[in-house]
Amino acid sequence: MTLVLAACGQPPEEKLTNGFDTLLNAKQLESNSTISMNLEFEGLSPEEEQEMQMFLDALKNAEINMHAVKDNEAEKAEATISLHAEMAPLSFDIELPYHIDLKNQVMYLNADSLIENFALMMPELAMFSDQIQGKLIKMDLNDPELASDFDNLPEETMNKINEVFMASIENLGEDDIKEEEDTLTISFGNEEIKDIAKEVLTLINNEMEESDQISEEELNEQLEIIFETITVNDLTIESTFDGDTIQSQKINIDVTLEEAGETMKFNFVIDTTYDKINEEVTFTIDPESAESISIEELLFFDEQLGY
């Protein structure tokens, strides 16, 4: 397969970056993902281990799924996150849909789903459910309390960050790229991740107000402190192709954190299938035909009850 691709003038890394580019620039996209996590601790006392074990078992056995759709032409996106977890004697089933107006940077949550999923944990929701039932809760993503530094980055900078990632793929060695039939697997080690992190943080630092920027020396010092604690054992991306188009992806992240004699090992896997690329997608939440209330109004109801 490698020889065939080379003969066509498209080595594996180029096929992969072109596949990523197709996903990033798709006019419409629909995907389904399953997410799994595993957390382990070393250096804990027997009492601490006993306290943590129930939570760790629940996390390890949790079933997390996400269905997502995006229409860049209509400038809107939507996702539904489903979670099933068990922590004896209780079990949890949560399904939370949300809709984003990409043009105006506004997110809508279905109030009914909040009541249905969180009323037991947040009794105040049930107490003022009559006022919010059937409505959408509207949140401004540009609100400083909700927006992250990434949310405020200009599109040009986000494109540059994507370019850093694409370039890092092209700079991988032969041992870091494996190809079997229609599947390409790339692996990043700790040093590659450090290089990517430095480039990305430098880009973000340069976009900040001059008074908030830090020197290159300070940036390097902060990165060293971070990577003294965090070791990225592996970041693997396995992509399955249908022709030149990525059909599915499996991302595996394995990280170790060490501090104060305690070690935490964290494994995160997200397995995604792209069901539609550049095809018409369907949205289940329509803000134009539903009544909305702001997050401030929701908090007002909360305050009226003394919470």
Side-chain angles (χ1 to χ4, degrees):
M1 177 62 78
T2 303
L3 291 172
V4 170
L5 289 172
C8 295
Q10 190 182 38
E13 61 270 22
E14 187 176 320
K15 179 179 181 178
L16 191 57
T17 54
N18 287 342
F20 279 127
D21 192 59
T22 298
L23 292 178
L24 287 169
N25 294 297
K27 293 177 181 178
Q28 294 89 18
L29 193 66
E30 179 174 350
S31 65
N32 280 287
S33 303
T34 59
I35 302 163
S36 59
M37 291 177 283
N38 188 29
L39 196 60
E40 295 178 5
F41 285 94
E42 295 177 0
L44 298 179
S45 67
E47 293 79 12
E48 289 172 325
E49 282 188 12
Q50 189 174 1
E51 289 176 4
M52 292 291 295
Q53 196 58 51
M54 188 181 296
F55 167 74
L56 295 176
D57 289 343
L59 185 66
K60 183 177 181 179
N61 297 314
E63 297 174 14
I64 308 170
N65 299 285
M66 182 171 71
H67 174 255
V69 293
K70 185 177 183 181
D71 189 327
N72 284 319
E73 290 188 326
E75 297 186 278
K76 57 184 181 180
E78 195 172 283
T80 300
I81 299 173
S82 305
L83 166 68
H84 173 78
E86 296 183 4
M87 190 178 291
L90 302 175
S91 64
F92 304 91
D93 283 287
I94 293 172
E95 187 170 289
L96 187 65
Y98 62 90
H99 182 100
I100 298 178
D101 176 343
L102 297 168
K103 181 178 181 179
N104 298 305
Q105 284 296 290
V106 176
M107 182 167 77
Y108 297 90
L109 286 173
N110 189 309
D112 290 354
S113 67
L114 287 180
I115 296 167
E116 183 180 340
N117 291 298
F118 299 107
L120 287 176
M121 291 176 277
M122 302 169 65
E124 65 271 25
L125 274 176
M127 297 179 74
F128 58 75
S129 61
D130 289 346
Q131 290 99 318
I132 66 173
Q133 210 150 23
K135 299 177 183 178
L136 298 177
I137 298 165
K138 182 179 178 181
M139 290 182 283
D140 181 3
L141 295 178
N142 289 320
D143 186 323
E145 293 186 5
L146 294 175
S148 69
D149 290 337
F150 278 95
D151 294 325
N152 296 320
L153 289 174
E155 185 178 353
E156 183 181 351
T157 303
M158 292 303 298
N159 290 336
K160 288 179 181 177
I161 291 173
N162 288 332
E163 288 172 9
V164 168
F165 176 66
M166 298 298 189
S168 68
I169 293 175
E170 294 175 357
N171 292 329
L172 288 172
E174 291 183 5
D175 293 340
D176 300 318
I177 303 176
K178 294 182 174 60
E179 185 170 16
E180 294 180 6
E181 297 182 352
D182 293 329
T183 301
L184 274 171
T185 304
I186 58 172
S187 299
F188 296 93
N190 198 54
E191 291 305 312
E192 286 92 351
I193 296 296
K194 284 174 71 173
D195 291 340
I196 294 170
K198 181 178 179 180
E199 287 192 61
V200 170
L201 291 176
T202 299
L203 281 170
I204 295 171
N205 185 49
N206 291 340
E207 288 295 334
M208 297 174 71
E209 296 289 337
E210 192 171 341
S211 58
D212 295 326
Q213 291 181 11
I214 61 175
S215 67
E216 184 178 356
E217 184 180 353
E218 288 176 294
L219 183 63
N220 289 333
E221 286 177 0
Q222 289 188 15
L223 279 169
E224 285 301 318
I225 292 170
I226 291 170
F227 281 96
E228 280 177 8
T229 304
I230 301 173
T231 302
V232 181
N233 303 309
D234 189 32
L235 192 164
T236 300
I237 303 175
E238 181 183 292
S239 304
T240 302
F241 283 78
D242 179 7
D244 292 330
T245 303
I246 294 177
Q247 189 176 43
S248 64
Q249 281 185 321
K250 186 176 183 179
I251 301 172
N252 181 79
I253 302 171
D254 196 76
V255 177
T256 300
L257 291 86
E258 294 181 273
E259 190 172 13
E262 293 184 359
T263 300
M264 184 183 81
K265 295 180 179 179
F266 177 67
N267 180 251
F268 177 85
V269 179
I270 178 166
D271 199 343
T272 301
T273 300
Y274 299 100
D275 301 306
K276 292 182 180 179
I277 301 175
N278 292 324
E279 297 178 35
E280 186 178 352
V281 294
T282 303
F283 293 89
T284 60
I285 297 175
D286 183 8
E288 293 183 4
S289 62
E291 186 179 349
S292 300
I293 64 169
S294 68
I295 190 69
E296 289 79 15
E297 290 176 279
L298 182 68
L299 293 174
F300 172 76
F301 293 137
D302 215 20
E303 290 168 0
Q304 294 297 101
L305 295 172
Y307 288 93

